[in-house]
């Protein structure tokens, strides 16, 4: 399996519902370092996994939808605990939509999976991997 990973970051605010979240039930900020990993079994005709520039650009575009936003105010997230795990899935799904729409080029249609990891800190992170 071949892969490439591109990295960006996003700054958000949000709060959680539920005793399990303790003080994070109050509004707080988070800065996530975001890694998007693109996998494929065989390299494309140019001997690459996917165009790194396009992958970086599309990750940035997905993250721009959330950057400097209070996720509690985003209609799509009303009543949802926007946990790190949940956000990893949202970002992976939106990247997959962009792959299917051709935004990462025709060669990206050969991708087999996308994995997104959100690093909360140097000691904690969460990931979501999905097939394409």
């Amino acid at each position: 399996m071949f892969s490439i990973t591109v990295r960006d970051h996003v700054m958000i605010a949000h709060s959680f519902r539920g005793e399990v979240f303790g003080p994070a039930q109050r509004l707080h900020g988070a800065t996530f370092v975001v890694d998007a990993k693109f996998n494929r079994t065989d390299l494309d005709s140019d001997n690459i996994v996917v165009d790194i520039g396009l992958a970086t650009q599309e990750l940035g575009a997905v993250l721009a939808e959330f950057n400097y936003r209070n996720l509690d105010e985003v209609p799509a997230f009303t009543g949802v605990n926007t946990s790190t795990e949940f956000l990893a899935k949202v970002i992976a799904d939106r990247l997959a939509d962009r792959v299917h729409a051709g935004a990462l080029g025709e060669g990206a249609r050969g991708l087999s999976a996308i994995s997104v990891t959100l690093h909360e800190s140097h000691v904690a992170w969460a990931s979501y991997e999905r097939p394409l």
Side-chain angles (χ1 to χ4, degrees):
M1 184 69 65
F2 294 94
S3 68
I4 63 110
T5 302
V6 295
R7 176 174 278 182
D8 203 336
H9 72 281
V10 63
M11 299 171 71
I12 58 99
H14 61 170
S15 61
F16 295 124
R17 291 184 337 274
E19 292 293 321
V20 69
F21 295 105
Q25 292 176 82
R26 293 188 297 274
L27 184 65
H28 63 279
T31 300
F32 296 110
V33 173
V34 182
D35 291 332
K37 181 179 175 185
F38 299 85
N39 298 316
R40 69 185 305 144
T41 305
D42 298 306
L43 298 177
D44 72 6
S45 61
D46 294 311
N47 275 340
I48 62 174
V49 172
V50 70
D51 181 314
I52 289 176
L54 288 176
T56 301
Q57 176 183 307
E58 294 305 316
L59 175 60
V62 168
L63 296 180
E65 299 174 37
F66 311 119
N67 206 21
Y68 294 106
R69 304 251 339 250
N70 178 351
L71 300 185
D72 296 348
E73 298 173 352
V74 175
F77 301 148
T78 300
V80 174
N81 280 331
T82 52
S83 66
T84 306
E85 298 91 333
F86 173 83
L87 292 174
K89 181 181 185 316
V90 168
I91 293 165
D93 289 345
R94 292 185 182 196
L95 284 171
D97 290 345
R98 289 170 182 262
V99 168
H100 294 308
L104 280 86
E106 283 303 309
R109 297 199 189 280
L111 292 169
S112 58
I114 292 177
S115 176
V116 171
T117 301
L118 274 68
H119 301 265
E120 292 188 37
S121 72
H122 66 289
V123 296
W125 54 89
S127 300
Y128 177 76
E129 183 174 344
R130 59 158 291 156
L132 287 174

